[in-house]
Amino acid sequence: MHPKEQRLKYRENVENGTTSGICDGYLQANMISLPAKYAFEFLLFCHRNSKPCPVVDVLEAGQVIPRIADADIRTDLPKYRIYKNGVLERETFDLTDVWEDEFVTFLLGCSFTFEKALNEAGISLLHQEMKKVVPMYQTSISCEEAGSFKGDMVVSMRAIKKEELEETIRITSMFPHAHGAPVHIGDPAEIGIHTFEHPDYGEFTPFNEEERIPVFWACGVTPQYVGLNAKPEIMITHAPGHMLITDQKE
Amino acid sequence: MHPKEQRLKYRENVENGTTSGICDGYLQANMISLPAKYAFEFLLFCHRNSKPCPVVDVLEAGQVIPRIADADIRTDLPKYRIYKNGVLERETFDLTDVWEDEFVTFLLGCSFTFEKALNEAGISLLHQEMKKVVPMYQTSISCEEAGSFKGDMVVSMRAIKKEELEETIRITSMFPHAHGAPVHIGDPAEIGIHTFEHPDYGEFTPFNEEERIPVFWACGVTPQYVGLNAKPEIMITHAPGHMLITDQKE
């Protein structure tokens, strides 16, 4: 199905499931909307931390149509989250009632892009085989702060077969707009992860440590986490796994 | 001489000449300061036009010390330009009397970086041999606009020996933070340059067209030109050729 048609289903609330595997081959993006007064510092945070926060599009105040999708950002994602003062208030399928003209929206690259490239190279991804959400962790890796936006990096983990490690690094390095090369390989404790089998987000899948090695990538949850740290009066994001499907081919 | 020592000479106004060839091996940067209300749109303009506007550092409102130089941005460049409402008001050696805490400063990469790499590869650069300022042109290549920041790209031109063209492209591609690969090669008219021998800025050096081909790079004058288009009540830049010498090795 073409992204435009699929987004119409979300707009009309005929569907509202995860976008994982939907409109294969089209770029999907994380969304974060904030009042305009936060826009400079948030963009600067993204610039200083481009691995977790690869900006693929920005909608200035008053704009609701991205440059990379013929979509309405207020209605065309399957599910949203509304945070107030850094606390989740509710999930919703439509932002029409809360939207303000002064919101600035950031669209950030997502690991779906590099996972697809890994799939195509025949590299085995356990969380996909097990149909689980990739495990994600808070780390002790500091992000460079920008104004009120500060905090540690969130990473995602994929246990990669040792003989596929080099190829995995090579492939993901080719996607700077989708988190790029890994930020850490091996011992989770070295980056402050002490409950490896109990991730902060997503699900852990046990693996054979003789065969596979844990590989960590900067994760698009980082800017949400950092955004909430700043406790803006309102912040709107996509619901996890419910991304914007763009019109751009991957 | 170490950058810190050299900058002290500028601070104390013992020297105020061009930084071309000074503190060889250290990164030099273009500077643009604007009132905070322009900061988001200007940073977004740079993000959308990273070839002419490669951001290497940003000083938030209230900050005068860059992250990439132990310097005071108000005093440690040899010469500045003050523009009001888009018009050059004056040049000055010191900004202490005009500085406002609400200024945000952008430091942008500069072609000195890739010229040095070309020198080291033995590639002949005519303007250096003739001790002239590189010729720069307004083009018809539109920049992607961001709010009130809009305009066409300014490019610099170097006539490269045909047998050195491939190597020149390869080398400059390696410096995305200093304008990167050329934006055009060959016929100037194709990018809207109709007075090739009379550049808009800098000086033209005649060359043998059998031997050399004109190669055009996105130029750091673009953001100044675009900044002035927006007619901010005040905008401060380095004077052409009088850059910030940073503490970073190239």
Side-chain angles (χ1 to χ4, degrees):
Chain A
M1 188 167 293
H2 187 272
K4 181 84 191 167
E5 256 180 288
Q6 182 64 32
R7 289 190 305 253
L8 210 59
K9 288 178 186 282
Y10 300 142
R11 181 182 301 188
E12 293 168 352
N13 295 317
V14 178
E15 284 186 20
N16 53 39
T18 173
T19 53
S20 172
I22 307 285
C23 295
D24 200 32
Y26 288 92
L27 188 76
Q28 297 198 10
N30 297 286
M31 166 191 164
I32 296 185
S33 300
L34 284 163
K37 68 176 173 183
Y38 297 101
F40 168 60
E41 288 185 350
F42 191 77
L43 182 57
L44 185 56
F45 182 87
C46 291
H47 174 76
R48 288 184 175 156
N49 300 279
S50 63
K51 279 194 122 171
C53 314
V55 176
V56 295
D57 203 357
V58 178
L59 288 77
E60 296 149 72
Q63 296 181 350
V64 294
I65 302 170
R67 301 150 85 89
I68 59 172
D70 179 21
D72 188 320
I73 206 75
R74 300 167 297 185
T75 54
D76 293 3
L77 278 75
K79 195 155 59 168
Y80 302 90
R81 284 188 165 183
I82 299 174
Y83 296 88
K84 294 209 170 149
N85 303 307
V87 179
L88 177 64
E89 191 193 57
R90 61 187 168 100
E91 291 196 332
T92 178
F93 305 116
D94 192 308
L95 297 175
T96 315
D97 58 330
V98 293
W99 196 260
E100 303 278 348
D101 272 348
E102 58 132 13
F103 289 168
V104 174
T105 300
F106 299 86
L107 300 176
L108 308 177
C110 137
S111 57
F112 288 3
T113 300
F114 76 68
E115 287 190 344
K116 182 161 183 284
L118 293 176
N119 287 338
E120 283 168 1
I123 288 169
S124 143
L125 295 174
L126 269 188
H127 72 282
Q128 292 185 338
E129 289 165 22
M130 302 295 173
K131 296 199 185 308
K132 290 192 174 174
V133 177
V134 73
M136 290 162 273
Y137 304 88
Q138 296 289 154
T139 70
S140 56
I141 304 170
S142 295
C143 292
E144 276 201 72
E145 62 184 73
S148 48
F149 296 101
K150 59 189 85 170
D152 293 330
M153 195 185 292
V154 179
V155 298
S156 61
M157 189 281 295
R158 292 159 192 82
I160 299 292
K161 283 186 184 158
K162 287 175 181 173
E163 68 273 19
E164 293 174 346
L165 179 60
E166 203 178 320
E167 181 71 351
T168 297
I169 296 169
R170 193 189 66 76
I171 291 175
T172 58
S173 301
M174 291 162 56
F175 295 94
H177 288 295
H179 306 310
V183 293
H184 185 69
I185 296 167
D187 187 3
E190 280 180 19
I191 54 170
I193 300 171
H194 301 291
T195 58
F196 186 54
E197 300 190 0
H198 301 281
D200 296 298
Y201 319 91
E203 298 156 288
F204 182 78
T205 303
F207 60 91
N208 180 342
E209 290 182 24
E210 300 287 302
E211 264 180 26
R212 291 174 182 263
I213 185 161
V215 181
F216 299 88
W217 281 267
C219 175
V221 171
T222 310
Q224 289 195 22
Y225 168 72
V226 161
L228 294 180
N229 265 353
K231 301 197 176 17
E233 54 275 31
I234 186 163
M235 176 171 116
I236 299 170
T237 73
H238 67 286
H242 297 67
M243 326 286 280
L244 172 68
I245 305 174
T246 77
D247 294 330
Q248 288 209 335
K249 291 278 190 180
E250 271 173 330
Chain B
M1 188 167 290
H2 187 271
K4 182 83 189 168
E5 255 178 288
Q6 182 64 32
R7 289 189 307 251
L8 209 59
K9 288 178 186 281
Y10 300 143
R11 183 182 301 187
E12 293 168 354
N13 296 317
V14 179
E15 283 186 21
N16 54 38
T18 171
T19 54
S20 175
I22 308 285
C23 294
D24 201 33
Y26 289 93
L27 187 76
Q28 298 198 10
N30 298 284
M31 167 192 163
I32 296 184
S33 300
L34 284 162
K37 68 177 173 184
Y38 297 102
F40 168 60
E41 287 184 353
F42 190 78
L43 182 58
L44 184 56
F45 182 86
C46 292
H47 174 77
R48 288 186 176 155
N49 300 279
S50 62
K51 279 193 121 173
C53 314
V55 176
V56 296
D57 203 358
V58 178
L59 288 77
E60 297 150 72
Q63 296 182 349
V64 294
I65 302 169
R67 303 151 84 90
I68 59 173
D70 180 21
D72 187 321
I73 206 74
R74 301 166 297 183
T75 54
D76 293 4
L77 280 74
K79 192 155 61 168
Y80 303 89
R81 286 188 163 183
I82 299 174
Y83 296 88
K84 294 210 171 150
N85 303 306
V87 178
L88 178 63
E89 191 194 57
R90 61 185 169 100
E91 290 196 334
T92 179
F93 306 116
D94 192 308
L95 298 173
T96 315
D97 58 330
V98 293
W99 195 260
E100 302 278 348
D101 272 350
E102 57 134 13
F103 289 168
V104 175
T105 301
F106 299 86
L107 300 175
L108 308 178
C110 139
S111 57
F112 288 2
T113 301
F114 75 68
E115 287 189 345
K116 181 159 184 287
L118 293 175
N119 286 338
E120 283 169 0
I123 289 168
S124 144
L125 294 176
L126 269 189
H127 72 283
Q128 292 187 338
E129 289 164 23
M130 302 294 173
K131 296 199 186 306
K132 290 191 175 175
V133 177
V134 72
M136 292 162 271
Y137 303 89
Q138 296 289 156
T139 70
S140 56
I141 305 170
S142 296
C143 291
E144 277 201 71
E145 63 185 71
S148 48
F149 296 100
K150 59 189 84 169
D152 294 330
M153 193 185 293
V154 178
V155 298
S156 61
M157 188 281 294
R158 291 160 192 81
I160 299 293
K161 283 186 184 157
K162 287 176 182 171
E163 67 272 21
E164 295 175 345
L165 179 61
E166 204 179 316
E167 182 70 350
T168 297
I169 297 169
R170 193 190 66 77
I171 290 175
T172 59
S173 301
M174 290 162 56
F175 294 94
H177 289 295
H179 308 309
V183 293
H184 184 68
I185 296 166
D187 187 2
E190 278 179 20
I191 54 171
I193 299 170
H194 301 292
T195 57
F196 185 54
E197 299 190 1
H198 301 279
D200 296 297
Y201 319 91
E203 297 156 288
F204 182 78
T205 303
F207 60 92
N208 181 341
E209 290 184 23
E210 299 288 301
E211 262 180 27
R212 290 174 182 265
I213 185 161
V215 181
F216 299 88
W217 280 267
C219 175
V221 171
T222 309
Q224 289 195 21
Y225 169 72
V226 161
L228 294 179
N229 265 353
K231 299 195 179 13
E233 54 276 31
I234 187 164
M235 177 170 115
I236 298 170
T237 72
H238 67 286
H242 298 66
M243 325 287 280
L244 173 68
I245 304 175
T246 76
D247 294 330
Q248 288 209 335
K249 292 277 189 182
E250 270 172 332

